[in-house]
Amino acid sequence: MNLAPFNLRPFFNDMTDAVISIRSNGTCLFWNKAAEDLFGWKFEEVDGKFLPEIIIPLEDRAQHIEVVTQIITNAKATSGAARAETKTGKIFPVSFSVIPMQLEDEQIFCVFFRENSSQETHFIQAIIQSIPGIFYFFDHTGKILRWNSNFEKVTGYSGSEISEMHPLDFFDDSDKAYIQSRIEKTFIDGVADAEAPMKTKSGARPVYFLTGIQTEYDGIPCLVGMGVDITRLKEQEKALLKTQEEIRSLAIHLESVREKEKQKIAREIHEDLSQELASLKLLLSMTFDRTKEVQTKESIERATSQLSNSIQKLRVISKELHQTILADLGLRESVNSKLLEFSKKCNIEVQFESNLKVNHIASTIDVTILKVLDAALSNVQLHAKASMVSVSLQTENKELVLKIKDNGRGFDQTQEKKKTSLGLVNIKEKTLAVSGKLELRTAEAMGTEIVVRIPLPQSLATVNA
């Protein structure tokens, strides 16, 4: 063909890279000497022929016809890599760059080819094979283009089988929608990860942490990533969660045992010791009436007064040990009673609101709420220098939520972590024992707010909602 209008022909013939010019229909327009040497075809043999049918192996041809179509449609400079084939059938890797050009009234495309060195190819392959986990590389249609030997070992499928499979074929039906969403996220956002069991040929289901990064190959959007087996880690995590749950159950049981022992001691103090002291007081009173000696009467009066004080103290101890107010009044009124007592004792204003509709949640939860309240009020009394405390006891989204907020001096949490705050540790332990969560909000001169969230028992999850 007469290429006189193509003024760059002498320049391209002097280049060491293979240069092929194609028309907008993909047929060859020009083929320089380096292209003849690289692919083994003389220009006269390829003139006017469709480029992918000449230099692309048959098994890759359909994909690369799509690439050529996209390049011609977009008419933008691009680059990539591919497998090429010589006239004699030798297949080898090449890199290419495409530059659109205008030849008189016709749009043409100059394609520059360079054979990838075998050393570089071997180096890349060595990197892929040295990855301790699995490696995968597939395009936006799900065609798997490359993988490492670990991928074959883990899945149990051969290379020929993998080349015909889709990435979703390696996951159970229940996980496919999730994996597909993570793949789509990779192509949209550029990066994503996932965690799911992989379906192997043997039926095993190892759990893998999978990564994905969006890239381009031959102008086609692709995903490249790797996966790490986290099966053992997940098993250890599950065992740890089970142990934590057992510890919480044990803590709840021990708390229940302590409460029963305290109630038993309280009854013994109230029913036995208090009654004996009351009887002793009565005897002293009778003795006082019978004696006539002034000095003896004075001694009996002092003894009676001390005995009365002791009886009163025992009643207070009994009341604290056995929270009769909780049994008699219920959780809401018990909290209110404690706040009124705290306000009177410490001369601090209190505000209380609650939407509870039942007297009791569960014995362990009721006791936990009161103990957390006691610990928080103790902190306010000792450290906060507050003039007001507001307390809220509400049910929100199937949770019992206790909020205790003061207008005190607050503290710097970063500094507090360096200390041993027994009050907060105590609150946290009691909250965790009933599967609750603790939130702490504070700052210097900004007061402190403690929020405790405890899941409601199933029987009350809707009653108090």
Short mmCIF file of all heavy atoms in Angstrom, two decimals, residues 91 104 140 237 239 245 263 275 283 308 319 330 351 357 364 404 410 461:
data_model
loop_
_atom_site.label_atom_id
_atom_site.label_comp_id
_atom_site.label_asym_id
_atom_site.label_seq_id
_atom_site.Cartn_x
_atom_site.Cartn_y
_atom_site.Cartn_z
N ILE A 91 4.85 -18.33 21.85
CA ILE A 91 4.08 -17.39 22.67
C ILE A 91 5.01 -16.75 23.70
O ILE A 91 5.79 -17.44 24.36
CB ILE A 91 2.91 -18.11 23.37
CG1 ILE A 91 1.93 -18.67 22.32
CG2 ILE A 91 2.16 -17.17 24.33
CD1 ILE A 91 0.81 -19.50 22.91
N GLU A 104 -4.38 12.55 7.81
CA GLU A 104 -5.30 13.26 6.92
C GLU A 104 -6.71 13.22 7.52
O GLU A 104 -6.93 13.74 8.60
CB GLU A 104 -5.24 12.64 5.51
CG GLU A 104 -3.87 12.85 4.85
CD GLU A 104 -3.82 12.32 3.44
OE1 GLU A 104 -4.73 11.56 3.04
OE2 GLU A 104 -2.86 12.66 2.73
N HIS A 140 -12.96 -7.64 35.35
CA HIS A 140 -14.26 -7.20 35.83
C HIS A 140 -15.40 -8.17 35.48
O HIS A 140 -16.48 -8.08 36.03
CB HIS A 140 -14.58 -5.81 35.25
CG HIS A 140 -14.76 -5.80 33.76
ND1 HIS A 140 -13.73 -6.07 32.89
CD2 HIS A 140 -15.86 -5.56 32.99
CE1 HIS A 140 -14.18 -5.99 31.65
NE2 HIS A 140 -15.46 -5.69 31.68
N GLU A 237 -10.43 -16.97 68.69
CA GLU A 237 -11.32 -15.87 69.05
C GLU A 237 -12.63 -16.40 69.62
O GLU A 237 -13.14 -15.88 70.62
CB GLU A 237 -11.60 -15.03 67.80
CG GLU A 237 -12.48 -13.83 68.03
CD GLU A 237 -12.73 -13.06 66.75
OE1 GLU A 237 -11.78 -12.46 66.22
OE2 GLU A 237 -13.88 -13.07 66.25
N ALA A 239 -13.03 -19.35 71.07
CA ALA A 239 -12.74 -19.93 72.37
C ALA A 239 -12.59 -18.84 73.43
O ALA A 239 -13.04 -19.01 74.58
CB ALA A 239 -11.46 -20.77 72.30
N GLU A 245 -17.46 -15.48 78.34
CA GLU A 245 -18.86 -15.69 78.72
C GLU A 245 -18.95 -16.56 79.97
O GLU A 245 -19.78 -16.31 80.85
CB GLU A 245 -19.61 -16.34 77.55
CG GLU A 245 -21.11 -16.44 77.77
CD GLU A 245 -21.78 -15.10 77.98
OE1 GLU A 245 -21.34 -14.11 77.35
OE2 GLU A 245 -22.73 -15.04 78.79
N GLN A 263 -27.81 -11.66 102.77
CA GLN A 263 -29.18 -11.70 103.27
C GLN A 263 -29.29 -12.60 104.51
O GLN A 263 -30.00 -12.28 105.46
CB GLN A 263 -30.13 -12.18 102.17
CG GLN A 263 -30.29 -11.20 101.02
CD GLN A 263 -31.14 -11.76 99.90
OE1 GLN A 263 -31.83 -12.77 100.08
NE2 GLN A 263 -31.10 -11.11 98.75
N GLN A 275 -32.39 -8.96 118.59
CA GLN A 275 -33.36 -9.33 119.62
C GLN A 275 -32.69 -9.58 120.97
O GLN A 275 -33.21 -9.20 122.03
CB GLN A 275 -34.14 -10.58 119.19
CG GLN A 275 -35.11 -10.32 118.04
CD GLN A 275 -35.89 -11.55 117.65
OE1 GLN A 275 -35.80 -12.59 118.31
NE2 GLN A 275 -36.65 -11.45 116.57
N LEU A 283 -33.64 -5.82 130.28
CA LEU A 283 -33.16 -6.23 131.60
C LEU A 283 -32.49 -5.06 132.33
O LEU A 283 -32.66 -4.87 133.54
CB LEU A 283 -32.18 -7.40 131.46
CG LEU A 283 -32.80 -8.76 131.06
CD1 LEU A 283 -31.70 -9.78 130.81
CD2 LEU A 283 -33.75 -9.25 132.16
N SER A 308 -28.47 1.16 122.95
CA SER A 308 -29.42 1.69 121.95
C SER A 308 -28.68 2.07 120.66
O SER A 308 -29.15 1.81 119.54
CB SER A 308 -30.15 2.90 122.52
OG SER A 308 -30.95 2.53 123.62
N LYS A 319 -29.78 -3.42 107.14
CA LYS A 319 -30.47 -2.84 106.00
C LYS A 319 -29.56 -2.79 104.77
O LYS A 319 -29.98 -3.05 103.65
CB LYS A 319 -30.95 -1.44 106.35
CG LYS A 319 -31.72 -0.75 105.23
CD LYS A 319 -32.16 0.63 105.66
CE LYS A 319 -32.88 1.34 104.51
NZ LYS A 319 -33.30 2.70 104.89
N GLY A 330 -39.05 -1.95 94.55
CA GLY A 330 -38.72 -2.12 93.14
C GLY A 330 -37.51 -1.28 92.76
O GLY A 330 -37.04 -0.43 93.52
N GLN A 351 -31.38 15.14 90.39
CA GLN A 351 -32.52 15.07 89.48
C GLN A 351 -32.63 13.64 88.98
O GLN A 351 -31.61 13.01 88.66
CB GLN A 351 -32.34 16.03 88.30
CG GLN A 351 -32.31 17.50 88.70
CD GLN A 351 -32.08 18.40 87.50
OE1 GLN A 351 -31.78 17.95 86.40
NE2 GLN A 351 -32.21 19.71 87.72
N LYS A 357 -41.56 0.54 83.48
CA LYS A 357 -42.96 0.20 83.66
C LYS A 357 -43.15 -1.02 84.56
O LYS A 357 -44.29 -1.41 84.84
CB LYS A 357 -43.60 -0.06 82.30
CG LYS A 357 -43.57 1.15 81.37
CD LYS A 357 -44.12 0.80 80.00
CE LYS A 357 -44.04 1.99 79.06
NZ LYS A 357 -44.55 1.65 77.70
N THR A 364 -30.19 -10.04 89.27
CA THR A 364 -28.78 -9.67 89.08
C THR A 364 -28.66 -8.27 88.45
O THR A 364 -27.77 -7.50 88.82
CB THR A 364 -28.07 -10.69 88.17
OG1 THR A 364 -28.83 -10.86 86.96
CG2 THR A 364 -27.94 -12.04 88.86
N ILE A 404 -25.56 8.67 84.61
CA ILE A 404 -25.26 9.44 85.82
C ILE A 404 -24.32 10.57 85.41
O ILE A 404 -23.19 10.34 84.99
CB ILE A 404 -24.58 8.55 86.89
CG1 ILE A 404 -25.42 7.31 87.15
CG2 ILE A 404 -24.36 9.34 88.17
CD1 ILE A 404 -24.70 6.22 87.89
N GLY A 410 -14.67 17.11 86.54
CA GLY A 410 -14.25 16.20 85.49
C GLY A 410 -12.78 15.84 85.60
O GLY A 410 -12.11 16.17 86.59
N ALA A 461 -37.97 -7.38 76.81
CA ALA A 461 -37.41 -6.57 75.71
C ALA A 461 -38.47 -5.72 75.04
O ALA A 461 -38.20 -4.63 74.56
CB ALA A 461 -36.71 -7.46 74.67
#
